[in-house]
Every structure is written in structure tokens, then in C-alpha cells.
Amino acid sequence: DLKLNLSVPDMDAPLFVALWPNWTAPKTRDWVIKNIPQGRFRGSELSFAANLGAAKGPPKLYDVEGNVEVREAHLKWSENADMMKNVDADLHWNKDEFTARFLTGNVRDVFLQRGQVVIAPVLARVAKDAHVSLTAKGDVGNALDLARQVGLSKYGGFDFNKIEADGEIEFSLEAKLPLAQKAVLAQCIETFDATVSNGIFRNLPNIKNIENAKLVMNIAKANSQIAGTAVVYGSPGEFSLDIDRTTGHVDLVAQAVSSESLAEAVAQMSGIDIAGVIGGKISYSGDLFFDEGRIDLTADLRGTSINIPKIG
């Protein structure tokens, strides 16, 4: 039987990993070598116990306890994603649970406010998940780039590879990643909540630019809601979008004040010669791709002129 205690006041991360016995947790060791290329391990206190009497195979690790402070590290947090830099994290490990609490870190202009990764049970040889939760804020465009990097490409009629965005975002998410197989992070998100301010979105389906958007989003496995205010076709308005993700059904309600730019947009979409100002309310209930559904329109035509050539 082997029991070993390690005390590391300060050590370079790659050196610390190189000194760690490979047989204790080879997959964890390889992951750290690959995904934490630089940083400092400080204030580390670790102990583990192993049975050396196994007839075949490596010694069996049966107990782990310890705390590790990771400082100024670079972290490859997802395959094909930009490296997270300036990472400070506190790690706690026992035989039942591994917990990593992230204190700081950033990917370009998206800054981590707090985060946590929990893996349990640690030593049992069973299928297990990494439970991830984090809160961050930063530039909407950079956040959208990160979403594409972790596998978000299309959702219904929205092609995220074409959409461009600016503004500020603050968001939180929870995800459950299976460790026994490769997983796309975007497909493993359980809940995603976000607020967007001063948002500008371009290349949306069936719409020109959305500007000055103030949005509140709640996206979950079964149902998603997005609501807020924005300027569309130059007209300020408000809207709410509800998506039933189990059936693919969408309910959209939007209302805009009267404006010349909205009258021009309606004229272009309808082919009717419309001038002046137009406003009103529109609702859509149908499929996620906006191909089939019911549209109800209430138009405010005060100040609107409509030319029908046959009757002048």
C-alpha cells in the first residue's frame, strides 16, 4: 500500500504535471498536458493512496484529497476554440468529486466572471459527465464567434455562420458534457440565459438589420424565449419570440410605431405602392423555419397613402 503527500508552494504547470505519477490518473494527466500549456500551480496540497499489490495492471488508486491553485494559466477549454487566457482557478479533488472554480479568464473581449466544473464520481469506472456552469460578459460579436467555435451553426431558419453582431452581452450557461465520448459543447447546453444591450444584428432571415436591440433571452432544452426592444427597418418597436423546441413551433409577436422607413419596407415586401408612414402589430404562429404558419397583421394606416393604379 502506498500513501503519498505532496506540498507545492509554487511550480510551473507543465513541470508539476510531469512529476505527477502517470499511473495515478493517466487520462487526467494527459488532458492537463494538452489543455493547460502554461501557468503556475501555487499553494498545492495533495495526497493519494494506492494499492500496489494488484497481480495485473497498474496500481489501483483508491483515495485522493487535495487543493490546487492555478494562476495566470492558458486553458484550451474546447476543441477548435480560441485559448482562454489569464485563468485563475481553485481546484479541489477527493475520491468522490472533482471541482474547479474559475475566478478569472478571458477569450478575446469576453471575460469570465465566475465558473465551475464538477466531475463525480471521480475514481469509479462508470460513465460520467462534467457539469459546467459559468457567467461571462463582453462583446456580442466575439461571443457569437465562440458559439460558432463550439458547434453552433444553424437553428431553424437562423444561419449563425452568416449572422454578424455588435453590442454588449452578459450571459450564463449550464452544460453537461459526457466524458466517455467526444461531445459538441453547443449540443450539451442545458440552459442559456443572456441580456444584450446596444445590439446590432445583420444578415437575419427575412429581415434587414436589427439595431439598438435590448434583449432578454432564456434558452433551454424544451422551450426558449427571446423578448425585448429594437429598431427594425428604421422603426423602434418591441417583440417576443417563443420557441417550443420539442415540436419546432414558433410564436412571434412584434409591434412597431409608425415610420416612413417601415412603410418603404412594407411596400418592397408586398409590391404595393405605399407612401407616408405605417405602423402596427404582426404575429406569426408556425414552424421554426418560417415557411408555414399563420400571420395576423394589424396596421395603423393613419398617415399612409396607398396607390392602386386601376382606381387611382
Side-chain angles (χ1 to χ4, degrees), residues 63-75:
D63 190 22
V64 177
E65 291 283 348
N67 298 285
V68 178
E69 297 177 4
V70 180
R71 298 294 183 263
E72 302 168 6
H74 285 190
L75 173 65

Side-chain angles (χ1 to χ4, degrees), residues 25 34 53 62 124 132 142 162 186 228:
K34 179 182 178 182
Y62 64 85
V132 180
N142 285 334
K162 295 180 179 179

Side-chain angles (χ1 to χ4, degrees), residues 194 214-218 225-229 238-242:
K214 297 179 181 178
L215 310 177
V216 177
M217 294 182 281
N218 173 256
Q225 296 92 28
I226 303 174
T229 61
E238 57 186 51
F239 71 95
S240 65
L241 175 67
D242 189 286

Side-chain angles (χ1 to χ4, degrees), residues 13-20 22 25-38 41 74 76 83:
L15 178 59
F16 179 86
V17 175
L19 293 175
W20 184 265
N22 187 48
K27 291 184 178 180
T28 301
R29 183 177 184 269
D30 293 344
W31 186 92
V32 173
I33 292 173
K34 179 182 178 182
N35 294 283
I36 308 180
Q38 70 180 69
F41 283 2
H74 285 190
K76 188 174 179 63
M83 190 79 69

Side-chain angles (χ1 to χ4, degrees), residues 149-305:
Q149 290 174 8
V150 299
L152 183 63
S153 56
K154 290 186 177 181
Y155 184 75
F158 296 94
D159 187 343
F160 290 97
N161 292 315
K162 295 180 179 179
I163 296 173
E164 299 176 357
D166 293 300
E168 296 87 43
I169 186 171
E170 183 169 348
F171 64 90
S172 62
L173 66 82
E174 294 186 5
K176 187 167 67 175
L177 295 166
L179 299 180
Q181 61 190 47
K182 280 194 172 183
V184 178
L185 177 58
Q187 297 175 355
C188 298
I189 294 176
E190 302 281 309
T191 60
F192 177 86
D193 297 294
T195 57
V196 174
S197 57
N198 302 317
I200 300 174
F201 297 90
R202 296 176 287 271
N203 300 329
L204 295 172
N206 304 317
I207 303 175
K208 285 187 176 181
N209 298 347
I210 289 180
E211 300 176 339
N212 196 27
K214 297 179 181 178
L215 310 177
V216 177
M217 294 182 281
N218 173 256
I219 297 175
K221 288 284 187 180
N223 190 268
S224 301
Q225 296 92 28
I226 303 174
T229 61
V231 175
V232 182
Y233 295 111
S235 177
E238 57 186 51
F239 71 95
S240 65
L241 175 67
D242 189 286
I243 302 173
D244 187 331
R245 302 180 70 177
T246 58
T247 63
H249 184 82
V250 172
D251 287 303
L252 170 67
V253 178
Q255 186 167 318
V257 300
S258 297
S259 69
E260 292 182 1
S261 56
L262 188 58
E264 293 175 1
V266 173
Q268 291 177 359
M269 289 186 290
S270 65
I272 301 173
D273 187 3
I274 297 175
V277 297
I278 193 171
K281 178 179 179 181
I282 186 171
S283 63
Y284 168 84
S285 181
D287 71 274
L288 187 60
F289 296 90
F290 298 95
D291 288 331
E292 293 185 9
R294 174 186 175 87
I295 295 177
D296 293 315
L297 174 66
T298 303
D300 181 357
L301 301 180
R302 292 171 294 181
T304 307
S305 65

Side-chain angles (χ1 to χ4, degrees), residues 9-171:
D10 183 35
M11 185 176 289
D12 185 58
L15 178 59
F16 179 86
V17 175
L19 293 175
W20 184 265
N22 187 48
W23 53 264
T24 56
K27 291 184 178 180
T28 301
R29 183 177 184 269
D30 293 344
W31 186 92
V32 173
I33 292 173
K34 179 182 178 182
N35 294 283
I36 308 180
Q38 70 180 69
R40 308 295 300 180
F41 283 2
R42 295 175 179 165
S44 303
E45 299 288 340
L46 290 164
S47 65
F48 62 83
N51 178 7
L52 303 180
K56 295 181 180 180
K60 183 180 179 181
L61 184 69
Y62 64 85
D63 190 22
V64 177
E65 291 283 348
N67 298 285
V68 178
E69 297 177 4
V70 180
R71 298 294 183 263
E72 302 168 6
H74 285 190
L75 173 65
K76 188 174 179 63
W77 60 284
S78 181
E79 196 72 24
N80 302 319
D82 290 346
M83 190 79 69
M84 184 181 291
K85 300 180 179 180
N86 305 312
V87 175
D88 289 354
D90 292 337
L91 315 181
H92 177 70
W93 189 4
N94 61 44
K95 63 181 178 182
D96 295 320
E97 185 175 276
F98 171 82
T99 303
R101 292 184 175 88
F102 291 86
L103 310 175
T104 63
N106 66 281
V107 183
R108 289 187 278 173
D109 288 334
V110 177
F111 294 88
L112 182 69
Q113 295 176 295
R114 60 182 178 274
Q116 180 171 280
V117 177
V118 178
I119 301 172
V122 178
L123 299 182
R125 296 185 177 181
V126 297
K128 63 191 75 173
D129 301 314
H131 296 265
V132 180
S133 61
L134 62 87
T135 300
K137 66 177 181 179
D139 177 74
V140 174
N142 285 334
L144 186 58
D145 281 343
L146 295 180
R148 286 189 281 254
Q149 290 174 8
V150 299
L152 183 63
S153 56
K154 290 186 177 181
Y155 184 75
F158 296 94
D159 187 343
F160 290 97
N161 292 315
K162 295 180 179 179
I163 296 173
E164 299 176 357
D166 293 300
E168 296 87 43
I169 186 171
E170 183 169 348
F171 64 90

